[in-house]
Amino acid sequence: MNEKITIGKLAKDPGCLAEYDPNAMEYKDALKWIRQFIEPVKETQIIPIRDSLCRVLSEDIYSPIDVPNYDNSAMDGFAFYKTKENLPTTYEVIGSNLAGQSSNEKVLPGQAIQIMTGARIPNGANTVIPIELVSSEGNKISVNKSISIGGNIRKIGEDVKKGELILKRGRYIRASEIGLLASLGLPKISVYRQIKVAFFSTGDEVVEVGNSLKVGQVYDSNNHTIGAMLERIGADIINLKIISDDKKELKKTLLSIADKVDVIITSGGVSVGAADFMKEVLNEIGEVLFWKLAIKPGRPLAYGKINQTHYFGLPGNPVASMVSFYQIVQPQMKALMGEVDYELPPLFSVKTERAIFKKPGRMEFQRGILFQNNDEWWVKPTGQQGSAILSSMSQANCFIVMEIDESTIDSGGIVKVQLMEGFI
Ligand code: AMP
Ligand code: MG
């Protein structure tokens, strides 16, 4: 991709690039186009690991220790020295090792030490036999089952070796990374700063929750879905609520916030209706591309910049704004946060219980319900698939992803699904 392309150039002369077709941009192309304008944040801060959930590592982490840092037992049982010949079969129990204790007792051939999970393997022992596999009489145990030499011992460094590169810069931090960092004894880490995102809804008909609703009005759900999705990925949010379809107001709002945040996200007003002013306003104060994306739901989408601040204009329809946030904006936010190689959840194939209707021409993200039947996973579409049917997003646990050229799939046919769990 050409490095010298700027949004300004594209906005003024879309034809300057053969691949850029504002009339029907394909999903994957839109992702790539926007991505080239995203410069990850550079500022870092050092924070306690417990505060690092949903942040992005800004340093490579090498382990300062071996994990575990001593050979220990994986089972409750008896530690002893096992020979190839499996002899003897009876051992004298000379003591016990509990987890957290560090006894120096030595086991001689023919002896055993009772040992608990996590306790250090005594000197002289090479194998642990689980308590369930021995019979005991007085201070003697008989080993009845064959067990391999070295069995049930967790070796030093088996999980992580001292000096090993364990997490790379650009890694998004989840509970498991926090746990891993704790297991290395690291109380603090360096992360990229949070991205700051301001967002608001547009529309004279849009009303804040908590007020009464007149005929012709609609509650502002986008503000809540967009805000929640931003919080899910760890953004620092500024909620500017609702701005009416008024050019002056829109302009004033955008200008007042632009230099205070990394990203501005709006919903509504990006298509071609009489009150869709975003294009006009943004052309005055920034550089913006308006796309007709070949996706459903979510055809209109705007991306641009107001000075250094990124701008995303999402469609007003609630499902369309969620889908375009999730499928297009979120990957860009992840890149901006410093996450390296973010990928949306993978697609996998399942059978559909009902026909899935589609015309070729647009990529579709229909809402589906994955369910199990006779040990097999199936999907069925939620009822209505309109871009205003927000209940479909709530019923769904996956997207049914249909490629641009695909058409209706009959019941029993194979479709691709993408899990929503944990992301929406
Ligand atoms: P627009 O993209 O502004 O033309 O809006 C498309 C449709 O989405 C219209 O039916 C709007 O009423 C509806 N809509 C726009 N913004 C919101 C919002 N914030 N919450 C819920 N519905 C909205
Ligand atoms: Mg509107």
Side-chain angles (χ1 to χ4, degrees), residues 252-320:
K252 202 174 92 189
T253 310
L254 290 168
L255 283 175
S256 70
I257 197 73
D259 291 332
K260 298 185 182 72
V261 295
D262 301 295
V263 185
I264 299 173
I265 298 177
T266 65
S267 76
V270 289
S271 48
V272 290
D276 291 336
F277 294 137
M278 294 313 287
K279 184 172 189 167
E280 237 175 292
V281 171
L282 278 147
N283 275 333
E284 285 176 33
I285 60 171
E287 301 169 328
V288 181
L289 296 172
F290 280 77
W291 273 311
K292 266 191 197 146
L293 290 183
I295 68 169
K296 187 178 173 185
R299 198 201 297 254
L301 182 95
Y303 167 72
K305 279 188 128 178
I306 303 167
N307 300 326
Q308 287 313 300
T309 302
H310 300 278
Y311 168 76
F312 290 91
L314 305 182
N317 273 309
V319 181

Side-chain angles (χ1 to χ4, degrees), residues 160-178:
V160 175
K161 293 205 169 32
K162 187 174 175 177
E164 185 181 339
L165 174 60
I166 200 73
L167 291 171
K168 278 194 181 159
R169 186 184 63 80
R171 185 65 176 266
Y172 183 69
I173 299 171
R174 308 166 301 169
S176 22
E177 281 70 43
I178 297 181

Side-chain angles (χ1 to χ4, degrees), residues 140-315:
K140 294 253 170 14
I141 54 160
S142 299
V143 174
N144 310 317
K145 283 266 163 50
S146 153
I147 180 164
S148 55
I149 294 175
N152 301 308
I153 292 183
R154 300 193 286 221
K155 301 294 279 183
I156 181 167
E158 159 184 298
D159 184 1
V160 175
K161 293 205 169 32
K162 187 174 175 177
E164 185 181 339
L165 174 60
I166 200 73
L167 291 171
K168 278 194 181 159
R169 186 184 63 80
R171 185 65 176 266
Y172 183 69
I173 299 171
R174 308 166 301 169
S176 22
E177 281 70 43
I178 297 181
L180 184 57
L181 290 160
S183 78
L184 306 182
L186 297 171
K188 290 183 174 181
I189 46 164
S190 177
V191 295
Y192 291 111
R193 70 164 172 84
Q194 277 181 295
I195 55 167
K196 228 179 195 169
V197 185
F199 61 104
F200 62 86
S201 305
T202 70
D204 288 341
E205 79 285 23
V206 179
V207 174
E208 196 174 337
V209 180
N211 296 300
S212 58
L213 202 64
K214 298 195 188 81
V215 175
Q217 293 182 325
V218 57
Y219 281 125
D220 182 5
S221 58
N222 292 349
N223 189 270
H224 294 270
T225 52
I226 293 168
M229 289 191 289
L230 283 167
E231 279 182 325
R232 265 273 168 100
I233 57 167
D236 180 11
I237 58 174
I238 299 180
N239 185 352
L240 300 174
K241 306 279 177 74
I242 303 162
I243 309 295
S244 56
D245 290 320
D246 175 307
K247 271 185 261 182
K248 256 199 194 147
E249 270 303 298
L250 290 167
K251 194 168 162 179
K252 202 174 92 189
T253 310
L254 290 168
L255 283 175
S256 70
I257 197 73
D259 291 332
K260 298 185 182 72
V261 295
D262 301 295
V263 185
I264 299 173
I265 298 177
T266 65
S267 76
V270 289
S271 48
V272 290
D276 291 336
F277 294 137
M278 294 313 287
K279 184 172 189 167
E280 237 175 292
V281 171
L282 278 147
N283 275 333
E284 285 176 33
I285 60 171
E287 301 169 328
V288 181
L289 296 172
F290 280 77
W291 273 311
K292 266 191 197 146
L293 290 183
I295 68 169
K296 187 178 173 185
R299 198 201 297 254
L301 182 95
Y303 167 72
K305 279 188 128 178
I306 303 167
N307 300 326
Q308 287 313 300
T309 302
H310 300 278
Y311 168 76
F312 290 91
L314 305 182

Side-chain angles (χ1 to χ4, degrees), residues 68-83:
N69 72 349
Y70 57 98
D71 290 351
N72 68 88
S73 179
M75 304 288 278
D76 290 337
F78 294 89
F80 65 105
Y81 182 78
K82 182 174 169 359
T83 61

